[in-house]
Amino acid sequence: MPWRVTFEIVGRGEKQGDTQVFEQEEIVVGRTPRTADLVFPRDNVSRRHCKFVVHEDGAVRIIDLQSSNGTWVNGMKVVDQVFERGDELMAGDRLVRLAKAPERVELEPLARHELVAHPQSKGRAVERVHVVVSAVAGELVVRYVVEGDMERLAVPRRRLDPERLWEHTCLEMFVGSHGVKDYAEWNFSPSGQSARFTFSDYRERVGHEVTETRVRVEQGSDALVLTARGAFVDQMPAQLGLTAITRDENGAQSFWALAHPSERPDFHHRGGFAWELR
């Protein structure tokens, strides 16, 4: 069973702040959502600044990740030490505290889905895409696992035009409701970026928003794992389409989805919104 860790984040001189909840044993603090879980976009915070680790007995340690400006707890520079309630990590212009002791939780995924490649897919780098969806503190955590030859997969390493994340390897989610024509499209890029498009009807786009969704990316020799967390669903029950576009190094694309109701790849077709979330 994982640990539920609740942090309180306050501005200097303030008594109360916001809380963030994580249900995992390791929480990375950093500057960008691509590399960190607890994100502080400040110049004096490194991309991977430090991490909190919860041990089997519930004790929390804070470990510096060779950050440029060092990790400061209670006004002192630290490398690896126990982090207890009452301690304060300085992160940018914020202070991070444990709101309460970590708690053991039983985290059961809402769903596990295997995506299917469209028959017109041309790419050969990816062999499998599967998705695990969980709920944490009122938000969805969507974890895409892309398996195959990662040396042949084209993964964006730089920031992209947020309007066109889908032109590259991109993990996506479509959200609609029964009897309602409007829907939303979420794009999660391995570049660490995310975007939300809104539609009033089939492909009738009415809005675009660059979001601050937390996107965490890990890549090995045989898999790329992208985890996105946020309030993706406005209304329940919801119809969701989980999809992915993967691009090989030679430009060949593959189109992955829960279902492909059209002869040509078409993630906007409501027949592909094949999972009902209640």
Side-chain angles (χ1 to χ4, degrees):
M1 292 189 297
W3 290 96
R4 176 180 292 136
V5 187
T6 304
F7 294 104
E8 182 183 23
I9 297 120
V10 301
R12 294 187 210 178
E14 298 177 0
K15 292 185 178 180
Q16 291 186 324
D18 299 323
T19 59
Q20 288 197 33
V21 181
F22 297 91
E23 292 185 344
Q24 55 202 66
E25 288 80 15
E26 183 176 305
I27 302 105
V28 175
V29 179
R31 190 172 65 235
T32 70
R34 188 178 192 276
T35 56
D37 305 295
L38 194 52
V39 178
F40 299 95
R42 298 290 186 271
D43 291 341
N44 60 349
V45 177
S46 298
R47 291 173 64 251
R48 283 173 54 87
H49 195 95
C50 63
K51 66 181 179 180
F52 293 98
V53 178
V54 188
H55 292 272
E56 281 299 314
D57 60 358
V60 180
R61 298 195 73 85
I62 186 167
I63 302 169
D64 181 68
L65 298 175
Q66 298 182 331
S67 59
S68 299
N69 295 301
T71 296
W72 296 80
V73 175
N74 302 331
M76 299 181 64
K77 193 172 183 179
V78 304
V79 175
D80 181 349
Q81 72 172 44
V82 173
F83 191 86
E84 300 177 324
R85 289 197 65 191
D87 289 341
E88 294 182 331
L89 165 68
M90 184 184 300
D93 58 353
R94 295 288 187 268
L95 297 173
V96 181
R97 307 167 182 154
L98 283 173
K100 54 185 175 181
E103 306 166 286
R104 279 289 194 186
V105 294
E106 182 132 12
L107 184 60
E108 186 66 30
L110 297 174
R112 301 176 188 269
H113 293 289
E114 192 84 20
L115 303 192
V116 179
H118 192 278
Q120 292 187 8
S121 297
K122 305 291 186 182
R124 295 293 179 265
V126 175
E127 300 172 357
R128 181 188 182 208
V129 180
H130 55 105
V131 186
V132 180
V133 184
S134 305
V136 177
E139 297 181 324
L140 285 185
V141 178
V142 188
R143 185 171 182 261
Y144 300 81
V145 182
V146 180
E147 298 179 359
D149 186 348
M150 294 300 101
E151 291 187 1
R152 296 173 56 195
L153 180 68
V155 178
R157 304 295 184 186
R158 56 179 176 79
R159 290 191 68 79
L160 305 170
D161 178 351
E163 287 259 4
R164 313 192 76 79
L165 300 179
W166 50 270
E167 289 187 343
H168 306 263
T169 294
C170 188
L171 295 311
E172 304 181 353
M173 179 167 60
F174 290 75
V175 182
S177 298
H178 283 290
V180 179
K181 292 183 177 181
D182 61 292
Y183 62 97
E185 172 189 349
W186 290 86
N187 288 175
F188 310 117
S189 171
S191 67
Q193 296 168 265
S194 60
R196 179 177 184 264
F197 302 87
T198 52
F199 299 84
S200 60
D201 203 341
Y202 175 74
R203 292 190 179 274
E204 293 292 333
R205 181 175 147 183
V206 293
H208 170 248
E209 177 186 1
V210 177
T211 70
E212 295 300 323
T213 299
R214 281 162 282 176
V215 177
R216 176 84 176 273
V217 181
E218 303 167 83
Q219 184 174 348
S221 60
D222 58 358
L224 178 144
V225 180
L226 183 148
T227 305
R229 174 176 171 173
F232 302 129
V233 177
D234 297 325
Q235 183 177 335
M236 298 285 278
Q239 293 177 301
L240 274 68
L242 299 170
T243 65
I245 297 173
T246 58
R247 182 185 290 270
D248 289 9
E249 59 183 0
N250 62 5
Q253 287 182 307
S254 290
F255 304 91
W256 304 80
L258 293 172
H260 296 284
S262 302
E263 183 179 342
R264 296 173 59 84
D266 184 2
F267 294 159
H268 291 258
H269 193 296
R270 292 301 283 262
F273 294 28
W275 175 43
E276 184 160 309
L277 176 63
R278 293 183 173 274

